[in-house]
Amino acid sequence: MPNNNSFIYRLKDGSKSFAAIFFIILLTSCTTEHNYRGVPSPHWQELSGEQKQLIVDQAYEKEFGSTDKKSGN
Amino acid sequence: MKRSHLQIAILILFSCFFLAGCASPKNIIAPLKYQDDIKMHVPKNAYIYWISGKHVSKEKTSYAVSGSSGQGGIGEAVGSLIFAAIDNQNQKNNPSQYTHEYGKADAAVFITSLRDALTEQNVFKNTELVTNLDQVRSQDVLIKIYFKTARITDINNVTLTVTLSIKTGNKPAYEKTYLVQNDPDKAFKVKTFLEKKTDASQKLLTAIICGIKQWNEGHK
């Protein structure tokens, strides 16, 4: 016998779906951390525009700088 | 107000707390200031080039969810399991929230602070940050900062090993390696990890500027 007094039981079907979707979105969007050029997103967001550019330029040079020199560009 | 409405309100409130928990506090050091006078001027353009080395991170102390003591019963045990699962998943997805590190972002803040200190005190004709060494001409001054290692000890002390190299013209490069650590905690004041990082970075800034002064003395 289901417990008629339980919170979940008394919610309408629409409310249950809403609650389930809300929690899935909450858990998936909130807990995913991006990584920008080796810097985690919480740290990245605190950097100024110049500091971000510096990290991007450095990563670019590291990745493509030696290739450019080898190919003579 | 119906009881179910109240429960939904509690649910939303819980979600707000959950979201607030996801918003992490400040993680990287603030721009540093060099307070003393440098009292030197080199009539050349200077370029600062930095290399990011090995960063050793350390896991933050985790607070384990206490298990059921038998009083709470199955509800408490299930609750503990759910919280542990969420915490575990969050740890996988957000490693930076669970680790202490002195990373590339801190190094970038340090480098811009060094450039600002040298510019403000007019130490060189012009001071710029570069990521490509081809921009530097032989008569310019090239300041290389190599962040070799950044270690975090068990009590969250920060130890930085950094090499300074200064080269201009055909003269041999001036090289010096610094090992700096934050000041230890005082009896009734335990510093946060961010304070320790800032402390170590401030010491490094002083050491690097001291190195530039020494290079200038030998360069004359």
Side-chain angles (χ1 to χ4, degrees):
Chain A
M1 276 292 283
N3 180 6
N4 289 352
N5 291 323
S6 77
F7 167 57
I8 298 293
Y9 186 81
R10 281 192 284 115
L11 278 177
K12 287 177 185 169
D13 284 347
S15 304
K16 280 179 196 167
S17 310
F18 170 76
I21 291 166
F22 179 72
F23 266 98
I24 288 165
I25 291 169
L26 192 74
L27 285 172
T28 52
S29 64
C30 178
T31 60
T32 306
E33 179 180 279
H34 296 283
N35 202 306
Y36 302 95
R37 305 282 176 181
V39 180
S41 77
H43 297 197
W44 182 260
Q45 283 160 11
E46 290 177 34
L47 291 171
S48 71
E50 189 198 16
Q51 288 154 357
K52 285 176 186 171
Q53 189 63 50
L54 195 63
I55 290 171
V56 170
D57 286 350
Q58 198 201 41
Y60 179 84
E61 280 299 323
K62 208 173 177 181
E63 248 175 273
F64 302 108
S66 56
T67 319
D68 285 352
K69 278 175 195 161
K70 275 178 198 166
S71 63
N73 292 330
Chain B
M1 196 177 188
K2 282 183 184 175
R3 200 176 158 198
S4 63
H5 289 168
L6 188 74
Q7 282 169 327
I8 287 172
I10 290 167
L11 195 72
I12 290 168
L13 201 67
F14 171 76
S15 309
C16 290
F17 277 117
F18 189 79
L19 280 173
C22 288
S24 57
K26 201 161 165 45
N27 296 297
I28 62 168
I29 58 168
L32 307 164
K33 291 275 172 208
Y34 187 74
Q35 306 295 348
D36 296 341
D37 285 339
I38 300 177
K39 288 179 188 164
M40 63 173 263
H41 179 72
V42 180
K44 288 181 178 181
N45 293 326
Y47 293 93
I48 304 173
Y49 179 81
W50 65 297
I51 306 159
S52 187
K54 191 182 176 191
H55 302 286
V56 182
S57 59
K58 180 187 161 286
E59 272 190 25
K60 284 180 188 175
T61 315
S62 60
Y63 301 97
V65 181
S66 58
S68 172
S69 58
Q71 299 288 322
I74 198 161
E76 194 183 320
V78 170
S80 299
L81 277 174
I82 290 168
F83 276 112
I86 291 171
D87 193 54
N88 203 20
Q89 189 58 37
N90 197 32
Q91 196 162 348
K92 277 181 197 163
N93 294 344
N94 301 278
S96 77
Q97 282 180 22
Y98 292 83
T99 52
H100 282 315
E101 66 162 12
Y102 190 99
K104 217 187 258 186
D106 297 292
V109 175
F110 177 84
I111 288 296
T112 49
S113 302
L114 175 66
R115 190 272 319 269
D116 292 345
L118 296 176
T119 306
E120 277 167 21
Q121 303 221 21
N122 200 25
V123 175
F124 297 98
K125 202 165 107 187
N126 188 32
T127 311
E128 281 180 39
L129 299 170
V130 283
T131 51
N132 183 352
L133 291 176
D134 294 343
Q135 294 173 10
V136 185
R137 295 170 304 167
S138 64
Q139 67 266 35
D140 297 329
V141 179
L142 174 64
I143 302 171
K144 276 188 191 175
I145 311 276
Y146 177 25
F147 288 86
K148 279 186 166 172
T149 54
R151 292 185 191 284
I152 317 296
T153 63
D154 286 339
I155 46 170
N156 294 338
N157 278 338
V158 182
T159 309
L160 305 172
T161 313
V162 177
T163 296
L164 166 72
S165 159
I166 308 176
K167 187 159 173 55
T168 181
N170 296 322
K171 291 180 182 174
Y174 169 91
E175 263 196 26
K176 207 161 186 183
T177 299
Y178 300 95
L179 192 134
V180 292
Q181 195 182 46
N182 60 285
D183 288 325
D185 288 326
K186 286 173 188 162
F188 296 103
K189 171 81 177 86
V190 178
K191 289 177 188 168
T192 62
F193 178 65
L194 186 63
E195 284 173 332
K196 286 179 179 180
K197 273 204 292 191
T198 307
D199 195 10
S201 305
Q202 193 66 53
K203 277 187 170 184
L204 182 65
L205 184 69
T206 308
I208 296 280
I209 289 176
C210 188
I212 294 171
K213 280 181 187 172
Q214 282 174 0
W215 163 79
N216 187 45
E217 290 298 314
H219 177 70
K220 278 177 185 170

